[in-house]
Amino acid sequence: MASVHESLYFNPMMTNGVVHANVFGIKDWVTPYKIAVLVLLNEMSRTGEGAVSLMERRRLNQLLLPLLQGPDITLSKLYKLIEESCPQLANSVQIRIKLMAEGELKDMEQFFDDLSDSFSGTEPEVHKTSVVGLFLRHMILAYSKLSFSQVFKLYTALQQYFQNGEKKTVEDADMELTSRDEGERKMEKEELDVSVREEEVSCSGPLSQKQAEFFLSQQASLLKNDETKALTPASLQKELNNLLKFNPDFAEAHYLSYLNNLRVQDVFSSTHSLLHYFDRLILTGAESKSNGEEGYGRSLRYAALNLAALHCRFGHYQQAELALQEAIRIAQESNDHVCLQHCLSWLYVLGQKRSDSYVLLEHSVKKAVHFGLPYLASLGIQSLVQQRAFAGKTANKLMDALKDSDLLHWKHSLSELIDISIAQKTAIWRLYGRSTMALQQAQMLLSMNSLEAVNAGVQQNNTESFAVALCHLAELHAEQKAVVLQAQNQMSEAHKLLQKLLVHCQKLKNTEMVISVLLSVAELYWRSSSPTIALPMLLQALALSKEYRLQYLASETVLNLAFAQLILGIPEQALSLLHMAIEPILADGAILDKGRAMFLVAKCQVASAASYDQPKKAEALEAAIENLNEAKNYFAKVDCKERIRDVVYFQARLYHTLGKTQERNRCAMLFRQLHQELPSHGVPLINHL
């Protein structure tokens, strides 16, 4: 029993870090690094206010928290960190540690005896309940419990720690003299960083309980909010394995290992770590202590629930359903309504392809509100909104539902769901063809600061919501910087591919894509001089657009219908159709689409003017020229020279009809320049929308 008792307090220094007992049996233990930190604190208290400037004092205070909470670091690194904050104090700390390490054992004992004086007097230097005070009390208590043999080993370790630090300092000085560039790179590596880095973690021996908890919470926060600043998957797993080697029952380390394995999509290791987490949670009695006998069952049902979520993430839906049924069974036996509510939400996720899944979802939202679970209630509302958007419900009703969920977010400070809600609004405005509103929502999400408090310098910018917003922005910008596709006259091959794509989209029930494919097929038909065959396709696309209230796609379909009517020789009807579709396109359409619409209006005006008398005809042609100028401006914004060539050709013909020779010659010269610069495919102008 004596050897086990001793190992609880000073095991890291006994067998080169090989621990055979639970090193987390106590909160903390004394190490040479912590003695060095204690020397720093003691020197700070002894230094007068005039000796250290206010700025240096602030830098020292900012340095203390990572030193107290972080893992042990080398002495040379500690010197450099202190020197960056206060060079004078760094020199004092170095001299004090040197005297202690090169002196006798009684010097170290006297140092710990003097630490207790920090709490004495009417105005003590350190408050007992402060962060520094708690650290001092833990160190004094841990040192007082050491046996004489352990004190001697601690002093021997301190001497070795000092010698290694001195050796490293000399080596750094020599390297700086021989190679200044290498020295600068080393200094960059030694800069203070709040985040735990690989060389810091693997300094010496196991971490104490507080150090391990700090390390795990920090890495978990980084994985959630800014994965790029966390340790790499291999480095993090190496440190977690090191933690688990010293304490295999450390449940939180198993859970972080589970999250780490999810990063690399390792289904076997993530499942293994998740099961170990709940096994250790049950074995350590952490749940039972707080919840009595109920704690054991609670761990089991939430283990099954998390296992179902894991299988669902990897696409193992049958295994996920089996695990979910087990979680539901245990939760029903324990009458755990909260767990059952989580199970109900996952039931919807697994069965959302069924036609009656919305009933399950509505029931889930009502139950979540009843049991006071705002997070689940909001997620349910978001899913309902998404489902009803695809079903073609009106946009105003969807936005009202999102407004209700936003009230829950702001009331309960659910920052992650605020981001999801904004991303959802972006997608809905995009679906309904309101590009300006979609752009506004996406920009707002990308520019807003995260409401969740994370470590300094960490931005919550790698979440799914940010990715969705960036995708919508990319689509919107792609439409505004659109690539001019050149026809290759491979009509039969294009028709076969479009028919395959249409069948595939209809199977997936992707209405938006079905409409887009129908429009492409219709364009293919009139390019093949078969506008009558294109009409059924366009009418089908228009019916789907109206049914699902996809306003922008409906406007684009009407635009194509008007063009088909123009080709068929009924420009008056085409012009009346254009008046219906032009407003949404000019308000929310891409720049290229705006130019196409104005060009088509001009064509219809010219075709309709053929039957007018001379004064009215001249007026109609003048109006057409104005619309052509507007179309040319739109095409110029996206550098669409092929369309500009068509416009100036049309303008030259109109100016010739009106007898305006100078304007005609100007447009003809511009047309000739563009015609020589661009290839011509011989497609008739009237057949090009």
Side-chain angles (χ1 to χ4, degrees), residues 31-33 35-36 97 100-101 108 153-163:
T31 65
Y33 162 74
I35 293 177
I97 295 176
M100 190 185 304
M108 186 179 73
K153 289 174 182 176
L154 175 60
Y155 185 69
T156 305
L158 176 63
Q159 290 177 321
Q160 186 65 41
Y161 183 68
F162 170 74
Q163 292 170 6

Side-chain angles (χ1 to χ4, degrees), residues 35 96-115 143 148 151-156 158-159:
I35 293 177
R96 188 86 176 274
I97 295 176
K98 182 177 181 180
L99 291 174
M100 190 185 304
E102 293 181 348
E104 299 178 355
L105 179 60
K106 65 179 182 180
D107 297 328
M108 186 179 73
E109 293 182 343
Q110 184 61 44
F111 171 72
F112 276 94
D113 290 339
D114 295 340
L115 283 180
Y143 182 80
F148 178 77
V151 171
F152 178 75
K153 289 174 182 176
L154 175 60
Y155 185 69
T156 305
L158 176 63
Q159 290 177 321

Side-chain angles (χ1 to χ4, degrees), residues 483-492 494-495 498 518-535 538 560 563-564 567 592 596 599 603 640 642-643 645-646 679-689:
V483 178
V484 182
L485 299 177
Q486 299 180 356
Q488 296 180 349
N489 292 325
Q490 297 178 356
M491 301 300 180
S492 58
H495 184 265
L498 284 172
L518 287 172
L519 292 178
S520 299
V521 173
E523 183 179 358
L524 199 65
Y525 282 135
W526 72 57
R527 280 183 177 273
S528 305
S529 302
S530 305
T532 52
I533 306 177
L535 283 176
L538 293 173
N560 283 272
F563 185 66
I567 297 176
L592 186 63
R596 291 170 58 210
F599 195 10
K603 289 178 183 179
C640 187
E642 188 182 62
R643 303 274 186 177
R645 180 184 63 180
D646 294 342
S680 176
H681 300 292
V683 180
L685 181 66
I686 196 68
N687 283 0
H688 188 61
L689 176 58

Side-chain angles (χ1 to χ4, degrees), residues 59 61-71 73 77 81 84 189-201 211 214-219 221-222 229-231 454-458:
R59 287 198 293 263
N61 290 336
Q62 290 176 347
L63 175 64
L64 280 180
L65 193 59
L67 292 181
L68 296 179
Q69 292 183 330
I73 59 177
K77 175 162 185 161
L81 292 177
E84 289 172 3
K189 278 188 175 183
E190 301 291 347
E191 287 180 357
L192 173 62
D193 188 357
V194 178
S195 62
V196 179
R197 295 179 295 181
E198 187 174 356
E199 67 270 13
E200 292 176 342
V201 179
Q211 289 175 326
F214 175 73
F215 171 73
L216 294 178
S217 63
Q218 187 182 59
Q219 290 298 312
S221 176
L222 289 172
K229 293 190 177 181
L231 290 178
V454 293
N455 290 332
V458 176

